[in-house]
Amino acid sequence: MKAPRISRRRALELETRLAAMAQATPPPARRKQAKSRDFDVRKFGAKGDGKTLDTTAFQAAIDAAAASSIPARVLVRGGRRYLLGSLELKGAIDFHLADDAELLISTRRRDYTSAKAFLRAEGADGLRLSGTGSINGRAKEFMRRFDPVDEWWRPKQFRPRLFEFIACHGLEICDFTFGAAPAWGLHLLGCEHVLVDNLKIRNDLDVPNCDGIDPDHCRDVEIRNCDIVCGDDGVVIKTTRQPIDFGPSARIVVKDCVFETQDSALKIGTETTQDIHDVRIERCAIRSSCRSFNIQLRDEGNVYNILVRDLTFSSRFHSPPWWGRGEAFSLTALPRTPESKVGKIHNVRLQNFRGRAENSGRV
């Protein structure tokens, strides 16, 4: 079957659209922090000894800050390790991990009100997460055993994501470190106007499904200056099947990031139930991967107006369960099941890729 010919007018339209996407636009500025009132979690009873469960004290500080009529900061002071179950963050607060403060997530299912995530927020407009502290996801403690044949860990039934933010507007996530995620790291679902800047992610390379950052049905997102190590996808843009219509994923920029992974460093899919469009990825360095850039269209949505440029990469085959086979890049549109309707990939440009791969580039 011959590929359809593209008209000269259509080609010019494509050139114009992609050129417009490539134009330098002023990066979103971090919000200027007005003088705020601190809500110190220790004043609400947090021990920070790494043994006492501090969830109640933290949630009380969050709730009090959210109820304040002036700008409020939930202050987590350094020099302590705080053992926590799941927390519900609120809008218009700054959740601040000062200095070397460490959040240590609980491994007990009963300490989680949400079955999915350690830090959760829904409809929390103007939420900010900041600071130089860290979050320890204790991934290996959520695993059953290491499989030496497949070369990865086999998980227990319960393993939470570290973050799940749903329908949040004006979200800012900057500067801190998280690592050892038992499952997905930062999941953004139906969020708009999001800045993710200067995160350090240190997940385990041999733990499956521990994605770095997952924008899912999100719009107007910029991810920049992040250093990401994870066993699964580094940054993966999705539109998962949901009971609520969160809309497409669109106007997403990923730039100036560094990746080390055993899966795709940068990916679109596989969940593509609605359109994903107007994505720009540039100036990223991939120390290791199974595919540098990957589009896996498996559902009824379409993927279009994608510009990926200035990537340096190394791509190789790992053990069989890891999904890639060492491709330089891979673009595929295949039905998820024989009965599935599958959308189309179009208007995609890959520019200035430099690296080494054990396999081909695949379209």
Side-chain angles (χ1 to χ4, degrees):
M1 179 179 176
K2 291 184 178 179
R5 294 186 65 180
I6 184 168
S7 70
R8 184 170 181 271
R9 175 176 290 180
R10 183 69 183 122
L12 288 171
E13 289 174 354
L14 170 58
E15 289 285 341
T16 301
R17 185 65 182 265
L18 290 174
M21 287 173 58
Q23 291 301 312
T25 55
R30 296 194 189 190
R31 293 195 300 270
K32 290 184 179 179
Q33 295 304 297
K35 187 178 173 98
S36 60
R37 177 183 171 191
D38 282 344
F39 291 78
D40 189 331
V41 296
R42 291 193 295 180
K43 292 183 179 179
F44 286 81
K47 301 296 183 185
D49 59 11
K51 299 177 181 179
T52 304
L53 193 67
D54 285 327
T55 310
T56 300
F58 267 66
Q59 193 63 59
I62 292 164
D63 294 345
S68 174
S69 58
I70 62 173
R73 182 173 75 160
V74 175
L75 177 60
V76 184
R77 293 189 183 275
R80 302 287 182 95
R81 302 179 80 201
Y82 302 86
L83 179 64
L84 297 164
S86 57
L87 296 171
E88 188 80 19
L89 299 179
K90 305 293 178 66
I93 67 169
D94 179 6
F95 186 77
H96 185 75
L97 303 178
D99 303 319
D100 63 345
E102 181 182 5
L103 307 187
L104 190 66
I105 81 168
S106 172
T107 59
R108 302 186 304 185
R109 174 66 184 86
R110 64 178 179 271
D111 294 332
Y112 291 77
T113 55
S114 166
K116 286 189 175 180
F118 166 60
L119 291 179
R120 186 181 184 277
E122 185 167 355
D125 295 350
L127 172 63
R128 185 170 192 261
L129 284 80
S130 66
T132 56
S134 64
I135 300 173
N136 183 349
R138 305 172 71 181
K140 299 288 177 59
E141 296 175 68
F142 290 91
M143 302 294 126
R144 289 186 291 115
R145 63 181 180 86
F146 184 75
D147 186 332
V149 175
D150 288 340
E151 298 180 9
W152 65 1
W153 286 88
R154 298 285 182 177
K156 297 176 182 176
Q157 185 174 6
F158 172 65
R159 51 171 178 155
R161 298 170 185 175
L162 286 188
F163 305 86
E164 185 171 63
F165 297 134
I166 302 171
C168 297
H169 291 219
L171 183 62
E172 192 171 300
I173 304 170
C174 303
D175 298 332
F176 60 90
T177 298
F178 71 80
W184 290 5
L186 176 56
H187 183 204
L188 308 167
L189 176 60
C191 295
E192 297 185 355
H193 302 290
V194 179
L195 174 62
V196 180
D197 189 8
N198 196 38
L199 286 190
K200 181 182 285 187
I201 300 175
R202 290 294 182 266
N203 290 341
D204 294 279
L205 286 169
D206 49 8
V207 169
N209 311 121
C210 63
D211 299 357
I213 303 172
D214 294 59
D216 184 1
H217 295 275
C218 290
R219 288 163 296 283
D220 300 301
V221 176
E222 181 158 315
I223 299 167
R224 67 192 188 201
N225 307 317
C226 295
D227 186 340
I228 299 174
V229 175
C230 57
D232 217 311
D233 303 316
V235 172
V236 49
I237 302 167
K238 300 173 177 284
T239 48
T240 56
R241 198 169 300 282
Q242 298 289 334
I244 298 171
D245 182 1
F246 285 110
S249 281
R251 300 181 300 279
I252 296 174
V253 175
V254 183
K255 65 182 184 180
D256 302 308
C257 294
V258 179
F259 297 90
E260 181 178 351
T261 174
Q262 295 197 160
D263 204 354
S264 300
L266 295 148
K267 180 178 171 182
I268 295 174
T270 63
E271 297 89 339
T272 44
T273 65
Q274 288 184 280
D275 288 0
I276 299 174
H277 63 89
D278 293 284
V279 174
R280 176 161 53 94
I281 298 170
E282 59 187 354
R283 299 191 305 272
C284 290
I286 300 163
R287 293 190 293 257
S288 69
S289 67
C290 75
R291 296 167 175 143
S292 67
F293 172 68
N294 181 19
I295 296 177
Q296 288 184 296
L297 177 61
R298 297 293 181 266
D299 303 300
E300 63 270 26
N302 301 294
V303 175
Y304 58 95
N305 294 344
I306 311 298
L307 174 62
V308 187
R309 63 181 183 177
D310 301 327
L311 260 60
T312 59
F313 70 90
S314 175
S315 182
R316 70 177 182 87
F317 174 65
H318 295 273
S319 57
W322 297 104
W323 293 272
R325 292 297 181 266
E327 298 94 339
F329 59 86
S330 179
L331 316 178
T332 58
L334 303 168
R336 188 176 294 280
T337 69
E339 297 78 27
S340 293
K341 177 183 176 183
V342 66
K344 295 181 180 179
I345 300 173
H346 60 99
N347 295 12
V348 176
R349 174 175 288 179
L350 309 183
Q351 267 184 344
N352 195 23
F353 276 48
R354 292 176 296 146
R356 177 174 294 178
E358 288 187 342
N359 206 329
S360 62
R362 179 171 62 170
V363 179

